[in-house]
Amino acid sequence: MVTGSSKPQQRRGDTRQRIQDVTLELIAEQGYEKTSLREISERLGVTKAALYYHFKTKEDIVVSLFTDLMRPIDDVIAWAAEQPPTLEAKLEILGHYSSALSDAAPLFRFMQENQATMRELSIGENFKERMTSLLDHLLPEDVTLTDRVRCFSALFSMHAGMFVLRDVEGDPEEKRKAILEVASDLVTRAHHS
Amino acid sequence: MVTGSSKPQQRRGDTRQRIQDVTLELIAEQGYEKTSLREISERLGVTKAALYYHFKTKEDIVVSLFTDLMRPIDDVIAWAAEQPPTLEAKLEILGHYSSALSDAAPLFRFMQENQATMRELSIGENFKERMTSLLDHLLPEDVTLTDRVRCFSALFSMHAGMFVLRDVEGDPEEKRKAILEVASDLVTRAHHS
Amino acid sequence: MVTGSSKPQQRRGDTRQRIQDVTLELIAEQGYEKTSLREISERLGVTKAALYYHFKTKEDIVVSLFTDLMRPIDDVIAWAAEQPPTLEAKLEILGHYSSALSDAAPLFRFMQENQATMRELSIGENFKERMTSLLDHLLPEDVTLTDRVRCFSALFSMHAGMFVLRDVEGDPEEKRKAILEVASDLVTRAHHS
Amino acid sequence: MVTGSSKPQQRRGDTRQRIQDVTLELIAEQGYEKTSLREISERLGVTKAALYYHFKTKEDIVVSLFTDLMRPIDDVIAWAAEQPPTLEAKLEILGHYSSALSDAAPLFRFMQENQATMRELSIGENFKERMTSLLDHLLPEDVTLTDRVRCFSALFSMHAGMFVLRDVEGDPEEKRKAILEVASDLVTRAHHS
DNA sequence: GATGAATGAGCGTTCATTCAT
DNA sequence: GATGAATGAACGCTCATTCAT
């Protein structure tokens, strides 16, 4: 089976996809404002104008990235909304959320490190709502301020954990489990208090 | 005799300070790259060129901000380095760190939300080292991966907590205490395991 | 169908060339540093940004000018390198060099009058080497200091002659011949001593 | 006799002179436009504003330099104007001119390398007139174009010679004599033809 | 499905100059 | 005899965006 004849034969039809890939790569590394369309197009071997064939604006590229990569996470959140308020359910939510996060790691690295930009990308708001919704399903009834902090701390640690532990030696999957364990602890404590 | 009666009376001699203030305000709100020197100077009622009398570059303004506002935090970290590895000492460290943080809140908001920029501001590295140093003094001996996560999670929650809880109703000081409590819990758990 | 009827009919496709032309004109007249991109672009009826579509930097425009206009002169120098060290050959070299120079007159006017700038344009060095190489082929064996002065004086007079004689009345071609004669004299004297 | 007590005691009263010295140094090296008042004042250890106490404008500094350093050369030219049109007198003129030039070498290096700037410094014109006047006294009666070239070539070589021969090994005084010899030759030839 | 050519707005920075003190 | 503080104008350059082809 033959995939293509030679180099100049750029895999066709997937340019849109490749723009998204390269963009995610670059903005995760340098941030949104420091990543220019020139840079993206050069790394892709096309002209800047080509980007405008596939996307309406620079912001649009990033928004599309989010829409695509956030879906699995949205699914978890939507599913979470239907779970009963038992501890078991909460821990299961955390487990699924953790898995979904580790797939979307570069996206979250970008979000984590460019919150100022996120706020103006019209997409931050959506995300904040989703977080609030997810948080609600982790909170116990009659929540104290301290327990609220425990739960947000659990979520937050999951978001940030992967990047922070990057230069600690060890298997990524083990790290993920350690983070999940701490998060579960926090939510459990909140549930019992 | 009263020096400052009204607006047009430009308090002289404090321009350098005012540049720093306005800059912190703006970059905390919009991020570093989106804050232009034009904006800063306009809000101050001077020309862009005036900024260059007081600072060598845009980066220099921000670096000076850090150097100034980070000192109290550095002091806590330096003091922490001399404490014995007892649980009591660790909890005291957390307490002092929490206070220091709440004074430098705008600075930390900026850092939190512009991590991508921080990395290129030559000042991020310093900060990372300081965090690592502080973390080391919170960790138990023979630390497990999970306990390491607990401690970083404690620090991280303190950094982020104030902003995240901003739209929860309640007294800021109470919020700070709740965050401190959760952080203390995490460090205590790590210490005993 | 006629392509160029009047002004607003911007001849397209030749913008790059026109930038070079206008730039040479302006820097020959005012020098490199005093010629701004604004001035160039205004005279061309385009924006400054348009210049950056065709050239990477201001320096790049000038370097491209040199690369293009120096070629004929380089050719003479390369050809000179293959000639035998006879007087006849030397005089022939001078003749060809003189012709090549008069074609590139504006370029040499710029070089002559902006030597300080040339030194930092990374292109001056190249030129110096070429001059040294050409000079070597004019020098007799066992050269005395005086004869070395004669030969450089011959070259130098050819470079500067055209501009200096500008406000002496007379046919340019006659002037060129007069200059060539003096240069030939100098080289002949050096050869025989 | 004691001139000063220690370092911080800047030799007083000579600031004006020191500004001129530093300025000549810098513009000879970098050219007029690339030399900023900031640079001059920094190298002197004073503020930019101090320069304005001593001189009205940047141009004024350079003009004053010329007025001062050109005097010996003007003297030679004035003296030349009174000499008879004999060959002996002409050769004597050349000799004196050569000496005067070697004293004012840095000035001439600047003039040589910044002709574009000179033209706008209102001082170039004066110089051109002086050159024309000097040239007139070297030309024979009933001058041919070729002889005119010989004489300007003689002058020109004297101006440029010192810089061009800089990287030829040998005693500067010997170089000067070699240049003078060639110039004398040229003028002699013109005189006899 | 993409390019070539260009634009308008803005950026950080530097400059010569001014003037009250 | 000099400084501290500031200005206005300009500079080289980059950016996201447009549009005819």
Side-chain angles (χ1 to χ4, degrees):
Chain A
M1 178 216 156
V2 182
T3 7
S5 52
S6 66
K7 285 286 196 38
Q9 165 101 29
Q10 305 284 142
R11 42 278 200 229
R12 71 155 82 99
D14 62 349
T15 302
R16 197 191 139 94
Q17 179 65 44
R18 287 172 63 227
I19 292 172
Q20 288 180 320
D21 293 350
V22 166
T23 302
L24 179 53
E25 218 174 279
L26 285 173
I27 66 180
E29 202 182 308
Q30 317 177 335
Y32 177 77
E33 356 267 342
K34 289 215 143 189
T35 301
S36 68
L37 296 185
R38 179 182 53 67
E39 213 172 350
I40 295 172
S41 62
E42 264 171 16
R43 188 173 288 207
L44 268 150
V46 299
T47 54
K48 268 189 294 176
L51 305 183
Y52 281 89
Y53 178 80
H54 294 282
F55 297 95
K56 251 176 46 192
T57 63
K58 182 187 180 186
E59 180 167 345
D60 206 40
I61 301 179
V62 176
V63 170
S64 84
L65 263 177
F66 270 78
T67 314
D68 290 8
L69 293 177
M70 277 294 235
R71 199 173 328 256
I73 285 162
D74 281 350
D75 290 348
V76 172
I77 294 176
W79 169 86
E82 294 162 4
Q83 300 316 110
T86 65
L87 179 56
E88 289 71 33
K90 288 174 184 176
L91 298 184
E92 213 186 336
I93 291 174
L94 286 184
H96 281 111
Y97 192 62
S98 171
S99 302
L101 278 182
S102 78
D103 289 343
L107 191 70
F108 270 75
R109 181 175 169 207
F110 165 72
M111 289 177 58
Q112 183 67 36
E113 299 188 347
N114 293 273
Q115 295 174 46
T117 299
M118 286 298 299
R119 224 178 309 145
E120 293 171 357
L121 235 46
S122 78
I123 207 170
E125 282 310 307
N126 300 4
F127 181 69
K128 207 171 176 180
E129 286 165 24
R130 283 182 274 219
M131 275 307 98
T132 309
S133 148
L134 184 55
L135 189 59
D136 275 350
H137 288 278
L138 297 176
L139 290 176
E141 301 175 84
D142 300 330
V143 61
T144 62
L145 185 54
T146 306
D147 284 334
R148 183 180 291 276
V149 172
R150 281 200 175 92
C151 290
F152 107 73
S153 188
L155 283 184
F156 216 70
S157 296
M158 292 175 83
H159 288 164
M162 302 308 282
F163 321 120
V164 176
L165 292 186
R166 224 181 334 177
D167 32 59
V168 172
E169 86 282 357
D171 174 46
E173 187 53 21
E174 268 186 57
K175 291 182 198 170
R176 190 180 72 85
K177 287 202 173 125
I179 294 167
L180 179 55
E181 189 188 338
V182 172
S184 298
D185 259 26
L186 283 161
V187 168
T188 302
R189 230 186 204 335
H191 189 82
H192 285 148
S193 75
Chain B
M1 178 213 156
V2 181
T3 0
S5 53
S6 66
K7 284 289 193 37
Q9 163 104 26
Q10 304 283 142
R11 39 281 197 232
R12 71 164 78 92
D14 61 349
T15 304
R16 195 190 143 95
Q17 179 65 44
R18 287 173 62 225
I19 293 172
Q20 288 180 320
D21 294 349
V22 167
T23 301
L24 180 53
E25 218 174 280
L26 285 173
I27 65 179
E29 201 182 306
Q30 316 176 333
Y32 177 77
E33 357 267 341
K34 288 216 144 190
T35 302
S36 70
L37 296 184
R38 179 184 52 70
E39 213 173 352
I40 295 173
S41 62
E42 263 171 18
R43 188 172 289 209
L44 267 151
V46 297
T47 56
K48 269 192 294 174
L51 305 183
Y52 281 90
Y53 179 78
H54 297 281
F55 297 94
K56 256 175 40 192
T57 62
K58 182 187 180 186
E59 178 167 348
D60 206 40
I61 301 179
V62 176
V63 169
S64 85
L65 265 177
F66 270 77
T67 314
D68 290 7
L69 293 176
M70 276 295 233
R71 202 175 327 258
I73 285 162
D74 281 348
D75 289 347
V76 172
I77 293 176
W79 168 86
E82 293 164 3
Q83 299 316 109
T86 65
L87 180 56
E88 289 71 35
K90 288 175 183 174
L91 297 183
E92 213 186 337
I93 290 174
L94 287 183
H96 282 110
Y97 192 63
S98 172
S99 302
L101 278 182
S102 78
D103 289 343
L107 191 71
F108 270 76
R109 181 173 169 209
F110 166 72
M111 288 178 59
Q112 184 67 36
E113 299 188 346
N114 293 273
Q115 294 174 48
T117 298
M118 287 297 299
R119 224 178 307 147
E120 294 172 357
L121 235 45
S122 79
I123 208 170
E125 281 309 307
N126 299 6
F127 181 69
K128 206 173 178 180
E129 286 165 23
R130 281 183 276 221
M131 276 307 97
T132 309
S133 150
L134 185 54
L135 189 58
D136 274 350
H137 287 278
L138 297 176
L139 290 176
E141 301 175 83
D142 301 329
V143 61
T144 63
L145 184 54
T146 304
D147 284 335
R148 184 181 289 276
V149 172
R150 281 199 175 94
C151 290
F152 105 73
S153 188
L155 284 184
F156 217 71
S157 297
M158 292 176 84
H159 288 164
M162 301 308 282
F163 321 120
V164 176
L165 293 186
R166 226 180 333 176
D167 32 59
V168 172
E169 86 283 356
D171 173 46
E173 187 54 20
E174 267 187 59
K175 291 182 197 169
R176 191 181 72 84
K177 288 208 173 118
I179 294 167
L180 179 55
E181 189 188 338
V182 172
S184 298
D185 259 25
L186 282 162
V187 168
T188 303
R189 232 193 208 325
H191 188 82
H192 284 148
S193 75
Chain C
M1 178 216 158
V2 182
T3 359
S5 55
S6 66
K7 285 290 195 35
Q9 164 103 30
Q10 303 284 141
R11 39 277 199 239
R12 71 164 77 92
D14 61 349
T15 304
R16 195 191 142 96
Q17 179 64 46
R18 287 172 63 226
I19 293 172
Q20 289 180 319
D21 294 349
V22 167
T23 301
L24 180 52
E25 220 174 277
L26 284 173
I27 67 179
E29 202 182 304
Q30 316 177 334
Y32 176 77
E33 358 266 343
K34 289 216 143 189
T35 302
S36 70
L37 296 185
R38 180 184 52 71
E39 213 172 351
I40 296 173
S41 62
E42 263 170 18
R43 188 173 289 209
L44 268 150
V46 298
T47 56
K48 269 191 294 174
L51 305 183
Y52 281 90
Y53 179 78
H54 296 281
F55 297 95
K56 253 174 43 190
T57 62
K58 182 187 179 186
E59 179 167 347
D60 206 42
I61 302 179
V62 176
V63 169
S64 84
L65 265 177
F66 270 78
T67 314
D68 289 7
L69 294 176
M70 277 295 234
R71 202 175 323 260
I73 285 160
D74 281 349
D75 289 347
V76 172
I77 293 177
W79 169 86
E82 294 163 4
Q83 300 315 109
T86 64
L87 180 57
E88 289 71 33
K90 289 174 183 174
L91 297 183
E92 212 186 337
I93 290 174
L94 286 184
H96 282 110
Y97 192 62
S98 172
S99 303
L101 278 183
S102 77
D103 289 343
L107 191 70
F108 271 76
R109 181 172 169 209
F110 166 72
M111 288 178 60
Q112 185 66 37
E113 299 189 346
N114 293 273
Q115 295 174 46
T117 298
M118 287 297 300
R119 226 179 307 143
E120 294 172 356
L121 237 43
S122 80
I123 208 171
E125 282 309 305
N126 299 6
F127 182 68
K128 207 173 179 180
E129 286 166 23
R130 282 183 275 221
M131 274 308 98
T132 310
S133 149
L134 184 55
L135 188 59
D136 274 350
H137 288 277
L138 297 177
L139 290 175
E141 299 177 83
D142 300 329
V143 62
T144 64
L145 185 55
T146 304
D147 284 334
R148 182 180 291 274
V149 172
R150 281 198 175 93
C151 290
F152 106 73
S153 189
L155 282 185
F156 218 70
S157 297
M158 292 176 83
H159 289 164
M162 302 307 283
F163 321 118
V164 176
L165 292 186
R166 225 181 333 176
D167 31 58
V168 172
E169 85 283 357
D171 173 45
E173 187 54 22
E174 266 187 59
K175 291 182 196 170
R176 190 181 73 83
K177 286 204 174 122
I179 294 167
L180 179 55
E181 188 188 340
V182 172
S184 297
D185 258 26
L186 282 161
V187 168
T188 302
R189 229 188 207 332
H191 187 82
H192 285 148
S193 75
Chain D
M1 179 212 154
V2 182
T3 8
S5 53
S6 65
K7 287 287 197 36
Q9 164 104 29
Q10 304 284 141
R11 42 276 199 231
R12 72 155 80 100
D14 62 348
T15 302
R16 197 191 140 93
Q17 179 64 44
R18 288 172 61 225
I19 292 173
Q20 288 180 319
D21 293 350
V22 167
T23 302
L24 179 53
E25 219 174 278
L26 285 173
I27 65 179
E29 203 182 307
Q30 318 175 338
Y32 177 78
E33 355 266 342
K34 289 215 145 191
T35 301
S36 68
L37 296 187
R38 180 183 53 69
E39 212 173 351
I40 295 172
S41 62
E42 264 171 16
R43 189 173 287 208
L44 267 150
V46 298
T47 53
K48 267 190 294 177
L51 304 182
Y52 282 88
Y53 179 80
H54 295 282
F55 297 95
K56 253 176 45 193
T57 64
K58 181 185 180 187
E59 180 167 347
D60 206 40
I61 301 179
V62 176
V63 170
S64 85
L65 263 176
F66 270 78
T67 315
D68 289 8
L69 293 175
M70 277 295 236
R71 200 173 328 256
I73 286 161
D74 281 349
D75 289 348
V76 172
I77 294 176
W79 169 86
E82 295 163 3
Q83 299 315 111
T86 65
L87 179 56
E88 289 71 33
K90 288 175 183 174
L91 296 184
E92 214 185 336
I93 290 174
L94 286 184
H96 281 109
Y97 192 63
S98 171
S99 301
L101 277 182
S102 78
D103 289 344
L107 191 70
F108 271 75
R109 184 178 167 203
F110 166 73
M111 290 178 58
Q112 184 66 36
E113 298 188 347
N114 294 272
Q115 294 174 47
T117 299
M118 287 298 299
R119 225 178 308 144
E120 294 171 357
L121 235 45
S122 77
I123 206 170
E125 282 310 306
N126 300 5
F127 181 69
K128 207 171 180 182
E129 286 165 23
R130 283 182 275 221
M131 274 309 96
T132 310
S133 149
L134 184 55
L135 189 58
D136 275 350
H137 289 277
L138 296 176
L139 291 175
E141 302 175 81
D142 299 330
V143 62
T144 64
L145 184 55
T146 304
D147 283 335
R148 182 181 289 275
V149 172
R150 280 199 175 93
C151 290
F152 106 73
S153 188
L155 283 185
F156 215 71
S157 297
M158 292 175 84
H159 288 164
M162 301 308 282
F163 320 120
V164 176
L165 292 186
R166 225 182 333 177
D167 32 58
V168 172
E169 86 283 356
D171 174 46
E173 188 55 20
E174 270 187 56
K175 291 182 197 169
R176 190 181 72 85
K177 288 206 173 118
I179 294 166
L180 179 55
E181 190 188 338
V182 172
S184 297
D185 259 27
L186 283 161
V187 168
T188 303
R189 231 190 207 329
H191 188 83
H192 284 148
S193 75

